[in-house]
Amino acid sequence: MTSEHASPTRLVYLDHSATTPVRPEVLSVMMPYFAQAFGNASSIHRWGREARVAVETAREKVAYLLGAEPSEIIFTSGGTEADNLALRSTAYRLRSKGNHIITSAVEHHAILHTCEALEKEGFEVTYLPVDKYGMVSVERVREAIRPETILISVMHGQNEVGTIQPIEEIGSLAREKGILFHTDAVQSAGKVPLKVKDMDIDMATISSHKLYGPKGVGALYVRKGVRIAPQITGGSHERGRRAGTENVAGIVGFGEACYLAEREMAEESKRLSDLRDRLINGILEKIPDTVLNGHPTKRLPHNVNVSFKYVEGESILLNLDRVGVAASSGSACTSGSLEPSHVLLAMGIPHELAHGSIRMTLGRSNTVEDIDYVLEVLPPIVARLREMSPFSAKAN
Ligand SMILES: *Cc1c(COP(=O)(O)O)cnc(C)c1O
């Protein structure tokens, strides 16, 4: 083995938009619910009551993060299921009223692929274009509205490029037109303020494992008065809106993670955005022919997405991994495929630049030293790859 393969001097995890570790405080509150307090929350005996209290306490904590009522929270198996529930429930329930859905071209696949499935069932979907920053325009939403529009679903914080969408304006437009508004807030929840009552949001998706809770649990916020047609049928769990024995330990951990995120949001987001800007500025200064993807200011505090001309993002990732740095190209679901990210393409970024993009998403464990380490190892990696590139400036 060459020295390049020696163990890295530092491990830096910069893929927090793919998933986050469970916080120790979260893990410790979950532990009792695996064994001692193992009851089924639907049972009437003391084991059941203990589990019920735990689930309802967690529901209050999730509601606290969103500024919602506990009764407006439906627990699901994660963000994907919550997105499916919002879209499918609305589509099937309001089918007699209309068959048109408006969404954006830069949504997560949990939304896009669900919309594509609904199209096969006879629904019509408008995929709104975005500007070069990945931003949806409220005017475009207004123009897309038809008499038969039943739902608008536009995400809050974009998961690949970090752009924060104008969901308050979209929400108030939807409210004015009497159309339901859903937002996928998986990436923004716990990072930027998201108070559903101030934003005219009818439904919002969040996911536990993106905010330091366990995987396999999430929630759909549903405003009081909005009916939900269950997509998983069975018992009368979650007030008949989502059947299945509650994942008690997971829900307890999710609740705690939401509570801690809300309590620490202002301070942690400031810290993250400082680190983010240090990383962005450092990269742009040290590495020529590099562009920032996503909005320069209306941006999630933990997201960095850059394109390096003349190199493949995948090659950078492999080289970063060798020196202990974890990043991603596009979304976790698309990396490994040869198609560039649908998000970057929707933003009008040319194929070559889209192929040369990497995403680094910061989190609680990251320090200034981590950022400086990346700024030390990344420039030589890009320089070396460009030396070998048939597309490099020199070769042209
Ligand atoms: C991760 C993610 C999801 C899916 O959530 P899971 O809990 O992993 O199913 C949905 N939307 C966005 C924006 C995400 O980042």
Side-chain angles (χ1 to χ4, degrees):
M1 279 219 174
T2 67
S3 60
E4 259 188 345
H5 294 83
S7 351
T9 54
R10 200 177 182 91
L11 290 177
V12 182
Y13 182 79
L14 290 179
D15 203 10
H16 291 86
S17 283
T19 196
T20 58
V22 173
R23 288 177 68 156
E25 307 93 307
V26 167
L27 184 61
S28 74
V29 298
M30 290 173 67
M31 288 308 279
Y33 296 95
F34 287 107
Q36 302 106 276
F38 64 90
N40 182 322
S42 301
S43 304
I44 62 168
H45 47 62
R46 67 189 60 240
W47 283 268
R49 288 197 306 274
E50 184 180 35
R52 172 56 53 203
V53 168
V55 167
E56 296 315 315
T57 305
R59 199 185 304 279
E60 284 169 21
K61 292 180 178 177
V62 174
Y64 165 72
L65 171 66
L66 300 176
E69 298 288 326
S71 62
E72 296 174 313
I73 302 299
I74 302 175
F75 287 120
T76 66
S77 65
T80 301
E81 187 194 328
D83 279 344
N84 268 265
L85 179 57
L87 265 53
R88 291 176 187 275
S89 164
T90 308
Y92 301 146
R93 204 168 57 77
L94 299 182
R95 194 172 227 159
S96 60
K97 194 171 164 238
N99 72 339
H100 182 233
I101 296 167
I102 297 172
T103 188
S104 85
V106 297
E107 298 296 308
H108 190 271
H109 284 143
I111 295 289
L112 289 180
H113 290 167
T114 305
C115 283
E116 286 164 18
L118 288 169
E119 283 183 290
K120 295 206 178 87
E121 296 177 37
F123 290 90
E124 286 184 33
V125 181
T126 299
Y127 300 92
L128 294 170
V130 292
D131 69 10
K132 63 177 175 176
Y133 299 124
M135 190 78 84
V136 173
S137 122
V138 186
E139 274 322 297
R140 289 294 189 105
V141 179
R142 188 184 290 279
E143 287 161 19
I145 293 173
R146 308 179 192 162
E148 61 274 18
T149 306
I150 51 174
L151 176 68
I152 299 172
S153 180
V154 174
M155 72 197 319
H156 191 197
Q158 213 292 322
N159 49 298
E160 291 184 38
V161 297
T163 301
I164 296 175
Q165 304 294 351
I167 60 162
E168 278 183 79
E169 289 96 316
I170 298 173
S172 66
L173 171 63
R175 187 66 51 94
E176 173 199 319
K177 301 282 183 184
I179 300 165
L180 289 175
F181 175 54
H182 166 256
T183 190
D184 177 332
V186 170
Q187 291 292 336
S188 60
K191 302 289 190 319
V192 296
L194 171 68
K195 294 298 174 208
V196 287
K197 305 291 164 185
D198 302 340
M199 292 174 151
D200 291 326
I201 294 170
D202 296 306
M203 292 174 280
T205 293
I206 61 173
S207 173
S208 163
H209 76 102
K210 304 287 175 79
L211 44 75
Y212 306 92
K215 293 169 183 58
V217 55
L220 183 67
Y221 155 80
V222 180
R223 185 173 57 78
K224 200 174 279 170
V226 174
R227 287 188 23 236
I228 283 291
Q231 298 306 305
I232 294 181
T233 46
S236 59
H237 311 88
E238 299 295 299
R239 299 163 145 231
R241 296 174 295 182
R242 196 277 188 182
T245 301
E246 292 88 343
N247 170 5
V248 179
I251 288 170
V252 165
F254 180 29
E256 192 64 18
C258 287
Y259 169 74
L260 293 170
E262 173 67 15
R263 221 182 47 181
E264 299 169 4
M265 185 176 339
E267 202 183 327
E268 180 62 4
S269 289
K270 168 78 175 78
R271 195 187 73 86
L272 288 175
S273 58
D274 287 348
L275 292 179
R276 172 198 68 189
D277 294 343
R278 185 182 185 96
L279 183 53
I280 292 174
N281 295 334
I283 290 173
L284 296 180
E285 266 166 36
K286 291 184 170 212
I287 309 179
D289 294 322
T290 301
V291 283
L292 175 69
N293 296 314
H295 200 281
T297 55
K298 289 173 185 146
R299 184 177 197 99
L300 289 170
H302 65 304
N303 176 288
V304 175
N305 187 312
V306 278
S307 285
F308 301 96
K309 284 186 194 163
Y310 322 119
V311 283
E312 292 284 331
E314 302 288 322
S315 313
I316 301 177
L317 291 190
L318 294 174
N319 282 276
L320 280 175
D321 185 42
R322 289 217 290 237
V323 292
V325 178
S328 78
S329 68
S331 63
C333 333
T334 50
S335 45
S337 86
L338 289 173
E339 263 303 286
S341 137
H342 68 281
V343 175
L344 297 176
L345 294 183
M347 290 159 63
I349 292 174
H351 265 71
E352 317 86 76
L353 263 184
H355 274 299
S357 81
I358 66 168
R359 177 186 76 174
M360 290 176 276
T361 43
L362 312 171
R364 293 177 48 80
S365 68
N366 297 132
T367 60
V368 171
E369 289 73 30
D370 287 348
I371 301 307
D372 292 346
Y373 178 69
V374 175
L375 290 174
E376 183 189 310
V377 297
L378 183 58
I381 288 175
V382 175
R384 194 150 39 82
L385 290 170
R386 281 180 177 167
E387 290 274 313
M388 308 185 305
S389 165
F391 309 111
S392 73
K394 273 195 321 192
N396 282 342

